Amino acid sequence: MPILECNNLTKTYAGVTALDHIDLAIDPGRIVGLLGPNGSGKTTLIKLAAGLLQPTQGQILIDGKKPSPETNAVLSYLPERIALSQWMKVTQVLDFFCDFYKDFDRAAAEAMLAQLQIAPNQVLKQMSKGTKEKVQLILAMSRKAKLYLLDEPIGGVDPATRDYILHTILSNYNPEAAVIISTHLIGDVEQILDEVVFLSRGQIALHDSCEAIREQQGKSVDQLFREVFKCWEN
Amino acid sequence: MSWEFQDHLPIYAQLMDTLKRRIVTGRYLPGEKLPSVRELAAEAGINPNTVQRAFSELERDGLIYTQRATGKYVTENEADIKSAREALARTQVADFLRAMQSLGFSVGDVIVLLQSFKESEEEIKHADSGM
């Protein structure tokens, strides 16, 4: 059974269509790139899956169920912006996650934080943006979820941080869980992906395996993206 | 050594090629345990299912084998390793000949060229050894 399923999923904001009759199924064990230019509907899709938005039409199912506290318990969502309280110390954030999520592995999070030499008594407000992003990713990946939704995890971080984030996603890989990564930095992530979904103006322009794209078209996913989303004609 | 992959070619095939090279050159010894799928994926920065696919194909070729519950190992069959090494060499030669043909050289021309190459190398060697 797919871990994420969209049937005829549509979302409009005051008459503006953000997602337009989407059909999509993502299986466990897959790392999926949700790719598209700005405003193509990536974040809307993720927020619908996380239960933060309601579909206008159609449905979205997590592990066969409509988004609810029950599905949120198996879903780890990394928002695009830093969503942690800035006054908190690292230990307090860890306490908070332990309270909220039964599947949070505190020891795993502490080990990853120690690896980065982030002190437990450090306050979030005092951290650089990149460090905060790393902390937030560690928290998201330290849950034993069935579905990870990572909204732009590598946007606006330096290349070393980006490598660390990709490494963390890979070293936490679980064949029972799916990871969905939204980004427009395709070249940076394509090697870790199984498959890609190209969103264009709220519709799925393409959904294929990365290796199939390379094998059948002799192109990188990045190249294909540039062709599909070419902004002008010569 | 860092892992480098070209994004416009299937990554599993590139990974297979690298692993094969490591096996035929003895960097991975016969009977040696290979890294796990997750370890290798994290180290090489590539998708775990891609690593799994490369392992499966190498297993089908007989270069590695799975021992239940403990992991994957390089074959102990030296004849298989030797023939994989020869197959890699043949691929290199074929690639080289194709490149030469695109420059207008026939296989015969290439052999003549290689012969003169060999002779000049031998001359240099002789000169170096003080003759």
Side-chain angles (χ1 to χ4, degrees):
Chain A
M1 188 176 61
I3 185 69
L4 175 78
E5 201 178 344
C6 303
N7 301 314
N8 198 28
L9 182 68
T10 299
K11 178 69 187 175
T12 57
Y13 301 106
V16 179
T17 305
L19 284 180
D20 191 1
H21 301 89
I22 298 254
D23 289 306
L24 180 66
I26 303 294
D27 289 324
R30 315 293 282 174
I31 303 178
V32 182
L34 184 58
L35 314 176
N38 299 325
S40 55
K42 303 187 296 282
T43 297
T44 299
L45 180 57
I46 286 179
K47 285 188 171 171
L48 283 162
L52 298 169
L53 294 173
Q54 296 300 316
T56 310
Q57 215 186 86
Q59 63 174 1
I60 185 162
L61 301 174
I62 311 299
D63 208 13
K65 298 170 204 107
K66 287 189 177 173
S68 67
E70 191 192 347
T71 64
N72 281 342
V74 298
L75 184 153
S76 184
Y77 166 53
L78 176 74
E80 196 176 358
R81 294 195 184 83
I82 308 280
L84 302 166
S85 298
Q86 300 286 316
W87 55 267
M88 281 189 177
K89 286 180 186 172
V90 172
T91 47
Q92 290 170 308
V93 180
L94 293 174
D95 293 342
F96 184 76
F97 265 69
C98 284
D99 286 346
F100 257 86
Y101 303 109
K102 274 199 199 115
D103 62 355
F104 184 66
D105 183 346
R106 184 174 190 137
E110 283 172 340
M112 285 190 264
L113 290 164
Q115 222 179 25
L116 289 178
Q117 289 153 334
I118 295 172
N121 61 358
Q122 216 175 323
V123 177
L124 262 73
K125 206 194 298 182
Q126 296 165 344
M127 293 176 182
S128 70
K129 182 166 179 272
T131 304
K132 275 186 254 188
E133 301 223 1
K134 280 183 267 193
V135 169
Q136 193 163 250
L137 179 89
I138 286 171
L139 294 168
M141 296 312 295
S142 296
R143 289 186 51 204
K144 298 286 162 249
K146 288 187 182 167
L147 178 61
Y148 297 85
L149 298 173
L150 313 178
D151 198 358
E152 289 285 359
I154 57 166
V157 301
D158 64 82
T161 303
R162 185 182 61 210
D163 284 353
Y164 176 78
I165 288 173
L166 298 179
H167 182 85
T168 304
I169 293 168
L170 288 173
S171 42
N172 285 287
Y173 174 76
N174 169 8
E176 314 286 310
V179 182
I180 297 179
I181 304 169
S182 96
T183 186
H184 51 259
L185 302 171
I186 298 137
D188 290 341
V189 296
E190 67 167 277
Q191 292 190 354
I192 81 161
L193 304 175
D194 282 290
E195 51 192 271
V196 284
V197 175
F198 284 4
L199 276 182
S200 172
R201 293 174 195 171
Q203 296 181 328
I204 293 179
L206 179 134
H207 180 192
D208 205 350
S209 119
C210 295
E211 289 282 78
I213 291 170
R214 296 181 191 111
E215 214 158 357
Q216 289 158 16
Q217 311 208 28
K219 283 176 194 158
S220 67
V221 178
D222 191 54
Q223 255 174 303
L224 183 63
F225 183 91
R226 284 165 203 260
E227 289 172 17
V228 171
F229 293 103
K230 198 171 170 201
C231 294
W232 72 93
E233 293 298 326
N234 282 332
Chain B
M1 180 191 135
S2 70
W3 300 79
E4 296 272 345
F5 300 98
Q6 290 182 297
D7 283 334
H8 67 284
L9 298 170
I11 291 173
Y12 85 92
Q14 298 176 62
L15 179 63
M16 265 181 83
D17 195 65
T18 306
L19 292 172
K20 255 188 209 169
R21 278 166 198 276
R22 290 184 173 200
I23 291 169
V24 304
T25 57
R27 188 160 161 192
Y28 291 145
L29 295 168
E32 186 176 334
K33 190 174 193 287
L34 291 163
S36 72
V37 168
R38 197 190 321 204
E39 281 164 4
L40 187 52
E43 190 195 313
I46 57 176
N47 184 275
N49 293 309
T50 304
V51 175
Q52 183 56 54
R53 183 169 172 198
F55 277 170
S56 301
E57 305 246 344
L58 287 173
E59 194 156 357
R60 219 184 42 195
D61 293 350
L63 279 180
I64 68 174
Y65 65 94
T66 305
Q67 204 152 60
R68 277 187 67 178
T70 66
K72 299 200 186 301
Y73 298 81
V74 177
T75 181
E76 278 140 42
N77 184 334
E78 312 244 356
D80 283 349
I81 295 177
K82 194 169 163 241
S83 68
R85 181 163 166 263
E86 278 160 13
L88 275 176
R90 269 196 297 274
T91 314
Q92 290 284 312
V93 172
D95 287 348
F96 167 67
L97 287 178
R98 212 171 301 127
M100 291 305 284
Q101 268 157 10
S102 77
L103 288 175
F105 288 82
S106 70
V107 176
D109 296 337
V110 172
I111 291 171
V112 172
L113 209 60
L114 284 174
Q115 192 60 40
S116 75
F117 208 78
K118 189 181 165 209
E119 278 158 17
S120 68
E121 281 217 322
E122 275 164 2
E123 266 170 39
I124 291 167
K125 240 183 249 166
H126 281 277
D128 284 349
S129 58
M131 294 195 54

